[in-house]
Amino acid sequence: MTPSRSAPISRRRPRVLPVRGGGGLTLCYVVLSAVLLSSVLVIVLQCQRYVKLLHRRAAMVSYDRRPAVSSATRRPARPKRKGRKRKPLSMNEAIQRQQQRQQQQKQHQQQQEQQYYNFTDIVLQNRLAHPFRELPTGIITSRQPPPTDRFDSWCVPSYTNKSKHGLLFNKMPKAASSTVSGISLRIAQRYAQRHYPNATNATATVAPCSSRVGHVPGYKANKTFADRDRNRSYLYSTLRDPAHRSLSRVYFTKISQDGKNVTDSNVISWLRTMMNSQFGAISPGMGGFQLAYLSLNPIDKGSAWTKEEPGEVRDVNAVHENVRQVLSDYDMLLLVERLDESLVAMQLLLGLDVADILYLSSKHAGDYYYSPRADRCIKLVKTTASARVGRYLRSREWYAKSYGDYVLHEAASQSLDMTIDMVGRERFE
């Protein structure tokens, strides 16, 4: 017999059966742990409450054991403060308080300006100020009619481009120009009616006292007023603090008319870049917007400062000479900050009535104004300056870009003081 072959041995691993019931035990352990943990938390919270209760009772016991204080030695209760009734100010006191505030603001502004430039000393050292022009025949009374053949009378027939005479007003943008335009037309009409009562056109559109009122954009005042007849004309304009004028321009054009957002970055950017000859905040390196706008002699762009060095004035002597020339070419420069004083001085120099210079402001913040540019009524947003914008308006860059305007403004202010002294303080007041 052949031996039988044994069957091959299987090498598979033995199958291990899982232990049943292991998952249930794990779940029980978890539940038990959660119950124990919650019990411990409850016990801890109860202990904390019990400790607090003991502290309260101990405090109450110690308060009860304090010695009694008699009503005689007890500190009396303070009477309730009633609102203080302010005594109403009289008219004179209110005016004095307002003048004190204005004086304090002016002193603060001068202190800020003196960090870089002392414009008062600059005007005095260079002798830029002088009294405003007096009539060739002296100061006349308002009831004294000038002779019709007097060559130096400013009240002459209608204005033409060939015969540039009469009352000439160069409207400075955003410097009370609309308000003073109404004053100019009022002077021309009332003066004519008073001194020429028999004139047929005294109440017509063109009065015997001619007046030329209007803006001169493009820095072209020389083409309009340079060849005027100084003996038969009176040329004047307005000036405003450069920072206030520029902010007014920014708010009026960009915010009220165009509806732009009021942010510090936007306002500072506009103050740096708005250089339009009519709607600008600064001039393109000409020493200042107002100086360039009024100058009857052309000023080169970039002659005062450049974009590469915006914080440096290139030639202060040239700027001073431009200021001196403007003060010589104009018979009167009215300061917006001292408008009433300026108008009274002009009234005395021209022999006008007090009623001739009465006025109402043409625009107020918060009011509505018809804008030809926007072709609709717009609400005038109140001009404000944040702390960041105020710091820029006190920076070296700003003073350098508006150096000529600040010098011109200060020179006009000192010239007004000299004019008041010339006509007499007693008479002026």
Side-chain angles (χ1 to χ4, degrees):
M1 292 180 60
T2 58
S4 62
R5 297 181 179 178
S6 58
I9 300 173
S10 176
R11 295 183 178 179
R12 293 181 181 177
R13 294 181 180 179
R15 185 177 180 184
V16 180
L17 295 176
V19 180
R20 295 183 180 180
L25 290 174
T26 305
L27 182 61
C28 289
Y29 291 150
V30 172
V31 171
L32 247 128
S33 301
V35 170
L36 289 174
L37 184 61
S38 60
S39 302
V40 170
L41 289 175
V42 169
I43 294 171
V44 169
L45 292 176
Q46 290 292 339
C47 290
Q48 287 182 352
R49 292 181 63 184
Y50 183 70
V51 170
K52 288 182 180 179
L53 184 61
L54 290 178
H55 281 300
R56 283 184 187 175
R57 289 182 178 177
M60 292 177 63
V61 170
S62 62
Y63 181 81
D64 293 338
R65 290 178 180 177
R66 288 187 307 171
V69 180
S70 63
S71 60
T73 58
R74 187 177 298 171
R75 181 183 297 178
R78 290 184 179 181
K80 293 183 179 180
R81 284 189 177 183
K82 296 182 180 180
R84 294 182 179 179
K85 295 182 179 179
R86 294 185 177 180
K87 183 180 179 181
L89 299 176
S90 64
M91 182 64 69
N92 293 333
E93 291 175 344
I95 293 174
Q96 289 177 0
R97 185 166 294 184
Q98 183 179 6
Q99 290 176 350
Q100 290 175 358
R101 289 200 194 101
Q102 292 176 352
Q103 189 68 19
Q104 291 175 356
Q105 292 175 357
K106 185 177 180 180
Q107 291 176 356
H108 177 70
Q109 183 179 357
Q110 289 177 350
Q111 291 174 359
Q112 295 292 338
E113 293 174 358
Q114 288 174 1
Q115 292 181 0
Y116 304 108
Y117 303 104
N118 190 333
F119 296 108
T120 303
D121 291 345
I122 290 173
V123 173
L124 292 174
Q125 291 171 4
N126 293 275
R127 298 181 180 180
L128 299 176
H130 61 80
F132 290 115
R133 187 168 82 101
E134 185 181 1
L135 286 176
T137 54
I139 300 173
I140 61 175
T141 59
S142 59
R143 295 302 177 184
Q144 178 184 354
T148 56
D149 57 347
R150 197 174 76 179
F151 72 92
D152 57 358
S153 174
W154 61 271
C155 185
V156 292
S158 60
Y159 172 89
T160 61
N161 291 329
K162 294 183 179 180
S163 58
K164 298 179 180 179
H165 47 234
L167 202 59
L168 311 178
F169 177 53
N170 186 2
K171 292 182 64 176
M172 174 63 65
K174 306 314 298 174
S177 59
S178 299
T179 301
V180 179
S181 295
I183 299 174
S184 182
L185 298 175
R186 181 181 177 86
I187 291 173
Q189 183 178 5
R190 286 179 57 85
Y191 193 90
Q193 291 177 352
R194 190 162 57 247
H195 294 296
Y196 300 95
N198 297 325
T200 56
N201 60 344
T203 58
T205 304
V206 180
C209 298
S210 66
S211 61
R212 197 275 184 193
V213 175
H215 293 292
V216 186
Y219 306 117
K220 297 179 180 179
N222 60 320
K223 296 183 178 181
T224 306
F225 303 114
D227 55 346
R228 69 185 178 100
D229 187 349
R230 291 184 66 93
N231 290 327
R232 293 191 298 171
S233 64
Y234 196 82
L235 176 61
Y236 71 107
S237 185
T238 55
L239 285 175
R240 190 176 181 182
D241 177 84
H244 295 167
R245 196 209 70 83
S246 298
L247 274 177
S248 179
R249 167 53 67 195
V250 165
Y251 270 76
F252 183 79
T253 303
K254 293 294 185 179
I255 298 170
S256 297
Q257 288 187 326
D258 298 344
K260 303 291 185 179
N261 293 330
V262 185
T263 63
D264 292 346
S265 300
N266 285 344
V267 172
I268 294 175
S269 175
W270 293 326
L271 290 172
R272 283 174 169 164
T273 58
M274 290 178 64
M275 298 185 189
N276 185 276
S277 62
Q278 181 64 32
F279 307 107
I282 57 175
S283 64
M286 303 166 73
F289 181 89
Q290 298 177 92
L291 177 62
Y293 199 90
L294 296 179
S295 179
L296 302 188
N297 297 320
I299 301 177
D300 296 332
K301 295 181 180 180
S303 59
W305 59 270
T306 59
K307 293 183 179 180
E308 291 74 19
E309 295 180 346
E312 299 294 333
V313 182
R314 297 184 62 184
D315 190 351
V316 293
N317 293 326
V319 177
H320 295 167
E321 190 58 35
N322 291 332
V323 171
R324 192 190 313 276
Q325 193 62 44
V326 168
L327 289 169
S328 175
D329 291 336
Y330 282 76
D331 299 315
M332 187 74 182
L333 290 174
L334 308 177
L335 297 174
V336 175
E337 291 78 13
R338 302 175 62 184
L339 186 57
D340 293 343
E341 296 176 79
S342 302
L343 289 173
V344 171
M346 190 172 75
Q347 173 218 336
L348 296 175
L349 293 176
L350 293 180
L352 306 175
D353 271 350
V354 176
D356 295 342
I357 58 174
L358 297 179
Y359 68 93
L360 292 174
S361 298
S362 61
K363 301 182 188 73
H364 294 278
D367 293 347
Y368 285 87
Y369 163 78
Y370 174 73
S371 171
R373 178 183 175 185
D375 194 21
R376 59 184 176 85
C377 287
I378 60 174
K379 186 175 182 179
L380 302 179
V381 180
K382 185 177 180 180
T383 303
T384 57
S386 65
R388 182 182 171 190
V389 174
R391 284 193 298 270
Y392 173 72
L393 292 174
R394 294 189 298 270
S395 65
R396 188 177 186 85
E397 176 187 339
W398 173 255
Y399 284 126
K401 289 182 176 180
S402 304
Y403 178 80
D405 282 358
Y406 280 103
V407 175
L408 180 61
H409 188 275
E410 178 61 28
S413 181
Q414 293 186 22
S415 298
L416 178 59
D417 292 333
M418 293 180 180
T419 305
I420 295 173
D421 293 335
M422 181 184 68
V423 300
R425 288 279 175 179
E426 295 181 357
R427 184 182 180 189
F428 182 84
E429 294 174 356

